[in-house]
Amino acid sequence: MTRPLGPLAGPSPLPAAVRALVGRACQVYEGGPAMPELNATARRLDEPLRVAIAGRIKAGKSTLLNALVGQDLAATDAGECTRIVTWYRDGHSYRVMAHPHDGPPQPLPPGPSGGVLDVSLGGLRAEQIDRLVVDWPSAALSSMTLVDTPGMDSLSTELSRRAESTLGTDGEDEQAEVDAVIYLMRHLHGSDVRFLETFRNDPAERRPINTIAVLGRADEVGHGRADALESAARVAARYQQDPRLQALCQTVLPVAGLLAATAATLREDEFRAIATLAQAGEAELERLLLTAARFTGGETDIAVDPGRRAALLDRFGFFGLRLSVRLVRNGVAVTAAALSRELSARAGLAPLRDALTGRFAGRADVLKARSALLAIDAVLQRWPVPAAVSLRHEYERITAGAHEFAEIRLLDTLRAGALMLTDPEKTDAYRVLGGDGVAPATRLAVDPQSPPDELRRAAIAALAQWQRRAEHPSSTRDVREAARVLVRTCEGLVLGTQPYPRADVADAWPAAERMLP
């Protein structure tokens, strides 16, 4: 995986520094009560990024997970499995393991259909299981492990506690078991704000770097009307400007989870049924689509039996049915594959995927390093032994110099439009900070096959540009601070492309100035 550039060289120095800190902590606390936590922290650095999907009951968490993976993996009904924290990770073959609170993990047999959705708990009760771990061969799971959690506001105290424990929001000393969170909400509720406040590990962060909010079930915001997703987009845009949410998550994105999941798993027989509905008279179809009872049981000449209509409504929802019929009727989607593409494009899943790729997967090492730093800080506070004084100093040195965190926060400030920069400057800053990708060539807007000299010239030009902006007398304080972050990023780019890796930036500048046009 390509890593973001740091202030001193090509690859980010943060993950290596954190890994070394964890290793020294293991030496200091060897044989002590902190070792299980430290060993788990060390293992997490070598594992894929862990991303939890959280939210209130019926927010659409499992449906969104199915859409992201492109498979019907997570149960979406109120069965036993929805009461258990379930981890979905990439594997060579299908396997489900139950991890009881007491006792070793044990494999679970498949249910009657042989699929994941109706897996048998093998005689165990849901309350006996700490978590389920599902291995499934999936490209979508290769870069991150997805964790499906029970509803945060469950009437069952135990279910809420399980979710809060996984996310580190239960008020206990336990650290979060995940590195980042996708938080689903249907509308901004007081409990949503309270959860996001609790999950924000560092109150000093103006905008957390590891949380994305999703306005789930976006098609329901407009009550299933044709413009429902446009209405949801406007609501999400208002939420993005809400100062409370700006302090609690990176962004708010509208996603029609049911539509996205159905698009990813659309079957040929479903397409044929939609095509049959599209041949019906518009007035007759609108009459049926007024209520669920009328659509599934009303008298009609349409050659789709009531059972099939009920299954379609369950899979598509009213909005998805109306949209699908319109796409087929207008000739936009003439095959199942075409309908799948069109529905997926309209469901809002692509912007969420882009956010997960750019903000989470592309910076996985940084987010995992952040989780490890939080774990080390917790250990140092819980067991303040004299031998750990040097660890505290090293921890503070790393956190104070973690330029990667400053990059991510500045990216979010740019996305929010809160800086008085010109439009070209905003575009350049976004790119240099890694918003379009963290590879050096992408940051510098040059061909990836360009020779090192061309990369170096582009890095030096970018450095000079942002130094001038940082020192310009008309720049506001916020702009100067932002420009200094960009200067430090550009210094890393210069040093990562120049042939003297041991030189510091000051030593490189005489040669750099000669290369300026």
PDB file of all heavy atoms in Angstrom, residues 420-421 425 468-481 483:
ATOM      1  N   MET A 420      -9.914  31.012   3.356  1.00  0.00           N
ATOM      2  CA  MET A 420     -10.011  32.077   2.362  1.00  0.00           C
ATOM      3  C   MET A 420      -8.864  31.940   1.351  1.00  0.00           C
ATOM      4  O   MET A 420      -7.906  32.719   1.338  1.00  0.00           O
ATOM      5  CB  MET A 420      -9.974  33.443   3.048  1.00  0.00           C
ATOM      6  CG  MET A 420     -11.174  33.713   3.937  1.00  0.00           C
ATOM      7  SD  MET A 420     -11.122  35.353   4.709  1.00  0.00           S
ATOM      8  CE  MET A 420     -11.190  36.404   3.252  1.00  0.00           C
ATOM      9  N   LEU A 421      -8.961  30.908   0.534  1.00  0.00           N
ATOM     10  CA  LEU A 421      -8.025  30.682  -0.548  1.00  0.00           C
ATOM     11  C   LEU A 421      -8.760  30.837  -1.878  1.00  0.00           C
ATOM     12  O   LEU A 421      -9.990  30.691  -1.940  1.00  0.00           O
ATOM     13  CB  LEU A 421      -7.435  29.269  -0.470  1.00  0.00           C
ATOM     14  CG  LEU A 421      -6.587  28.924   0.754  1.00  0.00           C
ATOM     15  CD1 LEU A 421      -6.228  27.436   0.735  1.00  0.00           C
ATOM     16  CD2 LEU A 421      -5.316  29.763   0.804  1.00  0.00           C
ATOM     17  N   GLU A 425      -6.035  27.745  -5.648  1.00  0.00           N
ATOM     18  CA  GLU A 425      -5.237  27.393  -4.469  1.00  0.00           C
ATOM     19  C   GLU A 425      -5.876  26.236  -3.698  1.00  0.00           C
ATOM     20  O   GLU A 425      -5.178  25.333  -3.226  1.00  0.00           O
ATOM     21  CB  GLU A 425      -5.079  28.612  -3.551  1.00  0.00           C
ATOM     22  CG  GLU A 425      -4.076  29.635  -4.031  1.00  0.00           C
ATOM     23  CD  GLU A 425      -4.005  30.838  -3.116  1.00  0.00           C
ATOM     24  OE1 GLU A 425      -5.039  31.174  -2.485  1.00  0.00           O
ATOM     25  OE2 GLU A 425      -2.935  31.453  -3.018  1.00  0.00           O
ATOM     26  N   ARG A 468       5.623  31.301  -0.167  1.00  0.00           N
ATOM     27  CA  ARG A 468       5.208  32.677  -0.456  1.00  0.00           C
ATOM     28  C   ARG A 468       3.854  32.971   0.176  1.00  0.00           C
ATOM     29  O   ARG A 468       3.628  34.061   0.717  1.00  0.00           O
ATOM     30  CB  ARG A 468       5.156  32.894  -1.970  1.00  0.00           C
ATOM     31  CG  ARG A 468       6.517  32.966  -2.640  1.00  0.00           C
ATOM     32  CD  ARG A 468       6.405  33.498  -4.062  1.00  0.00           C
ATOM     33  NE  ARG A 468       5.676  32.580  -4.927  1.00  0.00           N
ATOM     34  CZ  ARG A 468       6.251  31.648  -5.676  1.00  0.00           C
ATOM     35  NH1 ARG A 468       7.561  31.488  -5.647  1.00  0.00           N
ATOM     36  NH2 ARG A 468       5.511  30.863  -6.455  1.00  0.00           N
ATOM     37  N   ARG A 469       2.927  31.997   0.097  1.00  0.00           N
ATOM     38  CA  ARG A 469       1.595  32.213   0.675  1.00  0.00           C
ATOM     39  C   ARG A 469       1.671  32.343   2.183  1.00  0.00           C
ATOM     40  O   ARG A 469       0.956  33.143   2.793  1.00  0.00           O
ATOM     41  CB  ARG A 469       0.685  31.040   0.295  1.00  0.00           C
ATOM     42  CG  ARG A 469      -0.798  31.336   0.519  1.00  0.00           C
ATOM     43  CD  ARG A 469      -1.258  32.441  -0.415  1.00  0.00           C
ATOM     44  NE  ARG A 469      -2.690  32.543  -0.531  1.00  0.00           N
ATOM     45  CZ  ARG A 469      -3.449  33.447   0.125  1.00  0.00           C
ATOM     46  NH1 ARG A 469      -2.870  34.290   0.950  1.00  0.00           N
ATOM     47  NH2 ARG A 469      -4.745  33.500  -0.061  1.00  0.00           N
ATOM     48  N   ALA A 470       2.520  31.546   2.819  1.00  0.00           N
ATOM     49  CA  ALA A 470       2.654  31.598   4.274  1.00  0.00           C
ATOM     50  C   ALA A 470       3.229  32.928   4.741  1.00  0.00           C
ATOM     51  O   ALA A 470       2.941  33.392   5.859  1.00  0.00           O
ATOM     52  CB  ALA A 470       3.539  30.453   4.754  1.00  0.00           C
ATOM     53  N   GLU A 471       4.050  33.562   3.908  1.00  0.00           N
ATOM     54  CA  GLU A 471       4.724  34.795   4.316  1.00  0.00           C
ATOM     55  C   GLU A 471       4.052  36.049   3.766  1.00  0.00           C
ATOM     56  O   GLU A 471       4.473  37.160   4.080  1.00  0.00           O
ATOM     57  CB  GLU A 471       6.179  34.746   3.828  1.00  0.00           C
ATOM     58  CG  GLU A 471       6.986  33.618   4.461  1.00  0.00           C
ATOM     59  CD  GLU A 471       8.297  33.363   3.752  1.00  0.00           C
ATOM     60  OE1 GLU A 471       8.571  34.088   2.756  1.00  0.00           O
ATOM     61  OE2 GLU A 471       9.034  32.460   4.177  1.00  0.00           O
ATOM     62  N   HIS A 472       2.993  35.864   2.964  1.00  0.00           N
ATOM     63  CA  HIS A 472       2.353  37.022   2.347  1.00  0.00           C
ATOM     64  C   HIS A 472       1.640  37.861   3.409  1.00  0.00           C
ATOM     65  O   HIS A 472       0.907  37.325   4.248  1.00  0.00           O
ATOM     66  CB  HIS A 472       1.352  36.565   1.286  1.00  0.00           C
ATOM     67  CG  HIS A 472       0.992  37.634   0.305  1.00  0.00           C
ATOM     68  ND1 HIS A 472       0.120  38.659   0.611  1.00  0.00           N
ATOM     69  CD2 HIS A 472       1.401  37.857  -0.978  1.00  0.00           C
ATOM     70  CE1 HIS A 472      -0.010  39.465  -0.424  1.00  0.00           C
ATOM     71  NE2 HIS A 472       0.760  38.996  -1.412  1.00  0.00           N
ATOM     72  N   PRO A 473       1.836  39.187   3.402  1.00  0.00           N
ATOM     73  CA  PRO A 473       1.231  40.031   4.454  1.00  0.00           C
ATOM     74  C   PRO A 473      -0.294  40.042   4.451  1.00  0.00           C
ATOM     75  O   PRO A 473      -0.920  40.333   5.470  1.00  0.00           O
ATOM     76  CB  PRO A 473       1.798  41.428   4.152  1.00  0.00           C
ATOM     77  CG  PRO A 473       2.250  41.367   2.724  1.00  0.00           C
ATOM     78  CD  PRO A 473       2.688  39.963   2.494  1.00  0.00           C
ATOM     79  N   SER A 474      -0.921  39.715   3.311  1.00  0.00           N
ATOM     80  CA  SER A 474      -2.392  39.744   3.261  1.00  0.00           C
ATOM     81  C   SER A 474      -3.020  38.443   3.738  1.00  0.00           C
ATOM     82  O   SER A 474      -4.249  38.367   3.872  1.00  0.00           O
ATOM     83  CB  SER A 474      -2.856  40.032   1.827  1.00  0.00           C
ATOM     84  OG  SER A 474      -2.540  38.942   0.971  1.00  0.00           O
ATOM     85  N   SER A 475      -2.214  37.423   3.983  1.00  0.00           N
ATOM     86  CA  SER A 475      -2.756  36.131   4.415  1.00  0.00           C
ATOM     87  C   SER A 475      -3.291  36.223   5.842  1.00  0.00           C
ATOM     88  O   SER A 475      -2.627  36.770   6.732  1.00  0.00           O
ATOM     89  CB  SER A 475      -1.675  35.048   4.345  1.00  0.00           C
ATOM     90  OG  SER A 475      -1.244  34.835   3.020  1.00  0.00           O
ATOM     91  N   THR A 476      -4.483  35.689   6.050  1.00  0.00           N
ATOM     92  CA  THR A 476      -5.038  35.652   7.398  1.00  0.00           C
ATOM     93  C   THR A 476      -4.288  34.628   8.237  1.00  0.00           C
ATOM     94  O   THR A 476      -3.502  33.821   7.716  1.00  0.00           O
ATOM     95  CB  THR A 476      -6.529  35.278   7.352  1.00  0.00           C
ATOM     96  OG1 THR A 476      -6.648  33.940   6.835  1.00  0.00           O
ATOM     97  CG2 THR A 476      -7.310  36.236   6.468  1.00  0.00           C
ATOM     98  N   ARG A 477      -4.559  34.652   9.538  1.00  0.00           N
ATOM     99  CA  ARG A 477      -3.879  33.700  10.431  1.00  0.00           C
ATOM    100  C   ARG A 477      -4.173  32.266  10.033  1.00  0.00           C
ATOM    101  O   ARG A 477      -3.271  31.418   9.990  1.00  0.00           O
ATOM    102  CB  ARG A 477      -4.326  33.949  11.877  1.00  0.00           C
ATOM    103  CG  ARG A 477      -3.708  32.983  12.875  1.00  0.00           C
ATOM    104  CD  ARG A 477      -4.191  33.282  14.276  1.00  0.00           C
ATOM    105  NE  ARG A 477      -3.679  32.299  15.225  1.00  0.00           N
ATOM    106  CZ  ARG A 477      -3.964  32.286  16.521  1.00  0.00           C
ATOM    107  NH1 ARG A 477      -4.758  33.226  17.032  1.00  0.00           N
ATOM    108  NH2 ARG A 477      -3.473  31.357  17.307  1.00  0.00           N
ATOM    109  N   ASP A 478      -5.462  31.947   9.726  1.00  0.00           N
ATOM    110  CA  ASP A 478      -5.822  30.578   9.343  1.00  0.00           C
ATOM    111  C   ASP A 478      -5.116  30.167   8.059  1.00  0.00           C
ATOM    112  O   ASP A 478      -4.666  29.027   7.924  1.00  0.00           O
ATOM    113  CB  ASP A 478      -7.338  30.459   9.163  1.00  0.00           C
ATOM    114  CG  ASP A 478      -8.081  30.454  10.498  1.00  0.00           C
ATOM    115  OD1 ASP A 478      -7.413  30.301  11.536  1.00  0.00           O
ATOM    116  OD2 ASP A 478      -9.313  30.609  10.477  1.00  0.00           O
ATOM    117  N   VAL A 479      -5.024  31.092   7.113  1.00  0.00           N
ATOM    118  CA  VAL A 479      -4.351  30.780   5.851  1.00  0.00           C
ATOM    119  C   VAL A 479      -2.863  30.563   6.081  1.00  0.00           C
ATOM    120  O   VAL A 479      -2.261  29.649   5.493  1.00  0.00           O
ATOM    121  CB  VAL A 479      -4.602  31.900   4.821  1.00  0.00           C
ATOM    122  CG1 VAL A 479      -3.689  31.735   3.606  1.00  0.00           C
ATOM    123  CG2 VAL A 479      -6.069  31.899   4.387  1.00  0.00           C
ATOM    124  N   ARG A 480      -2.251  31.379   6.919  1.00  0.00           N
ATOM    125  CA  ARG A 480      -0.819  31.195   7.196  1.00  0.00           C
ATOM    126  C   ARG A 480      -0.558  29.840   7.839  1.00  0.00           C
ATOM    127  O   ARG A 480       0.399  29.135   7.502  1.00  0.00           O
ATOM    128  CB  ARG A 480      -0.297  32.325   8.095  1.00  0.00           C
ATOM    129  CG  ARG A 480      -0.158  33.671   7.409  1.00  0.00           C
ATOM    130  CD  ARG A 480       0.709  34.616   8.208  1.00  0.00           C
ATOM    131  NE  ARG A 480       0.177  34.871   9.541  1.00  0.00           N
ATOM    132  CZ  ARG A 480      -0.674  35.847   9.841  1.00  0.00           C
ATOM    133  NH1 ARG A 480      -1.105  36.656   8.868  1.00  0.00           N
ATOM    134  NH2 ARG A 480      -1.108  36.022  11.073  1.00  0.00           N
ATOM    135  N   GLU A 481      -1.422  29.457   8.797  1.00  0.00           N
ATOM    136  CA  GLU A 481      -1.248  28.159   9.447  1.00  0.00           C
ATOM    137  C   GLU A 481      -1.419  27.018   8.441  1.00  0.00           C
ATOM    138  O   GLU A 481      -0.668  26.046   8.454  1.00  0.00           O
ATOM    139  CB  GLU A 481      -2.251  28.012  10.592  1.00  0.00           C
ATOM    140  CG  GLU A 481      -1.961  28.915  11.782  1.00  0.00           C
ATOM    141  CD  GLU A 481      -3.001  28.765  12.875  1.00  0.00           C
ATOM    142  OE1 GLU A 481      -3.993  28.022  12.648  1.00  0.00           O
ATOM    143  OE2 GLU A 481      -2.840  29.372  13.950  1.00  0.00           O
ATOM    144  N   ALA A 483      -0.925  27.222   5.199  1.00  0.00           N
ATOM    145  CA  ALA A 483       0.213  27.246   4.279  1.00  0.00           C
ATOM    146  C   ALA A 483       1.446  26.613   4.919  1.00  0.00           C
ATOM    147  O   ALA A 483       2.240  25.957   4.239  1.00  0.00           O
ATOM    148  CB  ALA A 483       0.514  28.679   3.852  1.00  0.00           C
TER     149      ALA A 483
END
